[in-house]
Each structure stands twice: as C-alpha cells, then as structure tokens.
Amino acid sequence: MDLSSEAIVLDVADTAPLTRREIADLLPEVPDWSLEEGRLTTRFACKGFDEAVTFLNEVAEFAARENHLPDLGIHAGRFVDVAWYTYAIGGLSRNDFIMAARLSEWLRCRQGGFL
C-alpha cells in the first residue's frame, strides 16, 4: 500500500517512536524528504517572501485538514521548511511518513511538482 493512502492513527501517545531500522525502511518511500536531527524534513524554494507566506499557509491548512501538524518556518525570506515529528511520543511515527508522502503527492497534483 502507498504511504499516502494509509490512514492517520489519531492517538499515538501510547506507541513507541519508530526505530532507526523502521525509519531507514520508510525513507525511500518519501524521496523528497530527509532525516535531520530526528525529524523528517524538506525545504521548498519560493520566488519571494509573499509567495513563501502563502505557501506556508497552504501547507498549514493541508496539515490541519489531515489532523497531523508539522513544524513550519520561512528562512532567508523565500524558503519554506517543513518538518514532521510526533511530539506526543518524542520521535517519528508512521503518521509523519504518511503526511510527508501525502504532502508530496498533494503538491505534485496541485502544481505538477515542487516549487
């Protein structure tokens, strides 16, 4: 089953974070993402600050609809960073990988690729 079509598990507080092995097995399924400081991250380049703010808000709305929220930030006035991490368990969960896959798929469908 494709990660982007898997259901989000709403209550993960009693589950263990993914192991290094599980993370290594899932990373190839989200090729636009990398592991940085224990978080699943990617960076999107926008044309300028206004576009970055609009894009950040769109990602925030997408995540809110899915009920799993990332850390978001704008850097150097035009780069939007997205990082998935499940604070309730102190590590990465399968939900983080599902959301990375969903966000990548959403952007491919919406724009024909990343910005």
Side-chain angles (χ1 to χ4, degrees), residues 17-35:
L18 295 174
T19 65
R20 278 191 239 157
R21 183 68 180 143
E22 290 168 322
I23 291 168
D25 289 344
L26 287 169
L27 270 173
E29 296 190 47
V30 287
D32 302 316
W33 297 79
S34 61
L35 187 64

Side-chain angles (χ1 to χ4, degrees), residues 5-48:
S5 63
E6 288 186 28
I8 293 290
V9 176
L10 294 179
D11 186 15
V12 296
D14 292 331
T15 63
L18 295 174
T19 65
R20 278 191 239 157
R21 183 68 180 143
E22 290 168 322
I23 291 168
D25 289 344
L26 287 169
L27 270 173
E29 296 190 47
V30 287
D32 302 316
W33 297 79
S34 61
L35 187 64
E36 293 181 24
E37 298 179 12
R39 286 157 170 69
L40 190 58
T41 68
T42 197
R43 173 171 278 182
F44 301 95
C46 299
K47 292 178 184 170

Side-chain angles (χ1 to χ4, degrees), residues 45-100:
C46 299
K47 292 178 184 170
F49 184 73
D50 290 344
E51 185 177 292
V53 169
T54 298
F55 180 69
L56 183 141
N57 285 327
E58 290 173 357
V59 171
E61 289 171 9
F62 171 83
R65 283 192 305 271
E66 300 291 331
N67 204 26
H68 191 68
L69 307 176
D71 290 331
L72 298 168
I74 296 175
H75 300 279
R78 68 179 204 98
F79 296 102
V80 176
D81 290 342
V82 180
W84 298 103
Y85 183 84
T86 303
Y87 287 94
I89 62 171
L92 290 173
S93 69
R94 191 165 184 92
N95 286 348
D96 298 311
F97 283 87
I98 292 168
M99 288 302 296

